[in-house]
Amino acid sequence: VLNDDKNYPLRTRYSIQSYALTVTSSDGKVKNLFNGSAKVKNNGNTDFPVYGVLKVADLFGNTIYETSLTGGSAVIIPDAELEVADSWNDTPDFGFFNVTWTVSADEKVESVEKIFILISPISIIITIIVLTFATIGIIILIKKRKESQSRRAI
């Protein structure tokens, strides 16, 4: 914004009112989505860019997903409120993730970081079934060994 009036100085006043990082299910399905959102209010008389960057890293620190700065940015005009949001839609059913949501408004940066462990209900059911069969197999194996040892002792 250009300002030729020396009596009316440019001022940038803003507040990042809320920011959150959540995991939700999409449309009631099992698929999880990492969501970052923030509300920014511009109380000044000049516009400025607002950036929201969602970064997802695996257990070893490798970046799996990150919002590009052009994709997560918007310009907020004076006396307006803007919501910046992003979500990662390709979330796998299982994994350990370090997720960071960073919001930048002019020179202020707010960030929230959380660690998520995703396990789908199907993975839990399959794990329980496999453990059940493994336990039954071990019990049968132990009984057969005891029977063969008791036969040898006779």
Side-chain angles (χ1 to χ4, degrees):
V1 174
L2 296 176
N3 185 4
D4 294 329
D5 185 5
K6 302 294 183 206
N7 296 326
Y8 190 66
L10 292 176
R11 61 182 168 80
T12 304
R13 290 187 190 159
Y14 55 87
S15 61
I16 299 176
Q17 296 178 329
S18 64
Y19 55 97
L21 182 60
T22 59
V23 175
T24 59
S25 294
S26 62
D27 302 329
K29 297 178 185 174
V30 177
K31 191 72 173 170
N32 293 311
L33 304 174
F34 290 125
N35 304 299
S37 63
K39 285 185 182 178
V40 179
K41 180 148 178 78
N42 184 351
N43 298 321
N45 63 0
T46 183
D47 55 80
F48 55 87
V50 176
Y51 300 96
V53 177
L54 182 66
K55 181 178 179 182
V56 180
D58 64 11
L59 184 63
F60 305 106
N62 301 319
T63 300
I64 300 170
Y65 174 82
E66 186 170 9
T67 308
S68 65
L69 281 178
T70 56
S73 67
V75 175
I76 185 169
I77 59 174
D79 294 323
E81 185 175 285
L82 177 70
E83 183 168 347
V84 179
D86 189 19
S87 63
W88 181 37
N89 299 326
D90 297 329
T91 308
D93 292 333
F94 179 79
F96 297 88
F97 302 99
N98 186 10
V99 184
T100 306
W101 172 241
T102 304
V103 180
S104 304
D106 196 32
E107 296 175 1
K108 186 174 184 179
V109 176
E110 297 283 346
S111 185
V112 60
E113 183 174 350
K114 294 183 182 180
I115 295 175
F116 291 102
I117 301 172
L118 296 182
I119 303 173
S120 72
I122 294 170
S123 299
I124 293 172
I125 292 169
I126 291 171
T127 303
I128 290 172
I129 291 171
V130 168
L131 289 175
T132 302
F133 281 118
T135 304
I136 291 170
I138 290 171
I139 290 171
I140 291 171
L141 185 65
I142 290 172
K143 284 185 178 184
K144 284 186 178 184
R145 281 190 180 173
K146 284 184 180 181
E147 286 176 7
S148 67
Q149 287 176 354
S150 64
R151 288 183 189 161
R152 288 184 193 166
I154 298 177

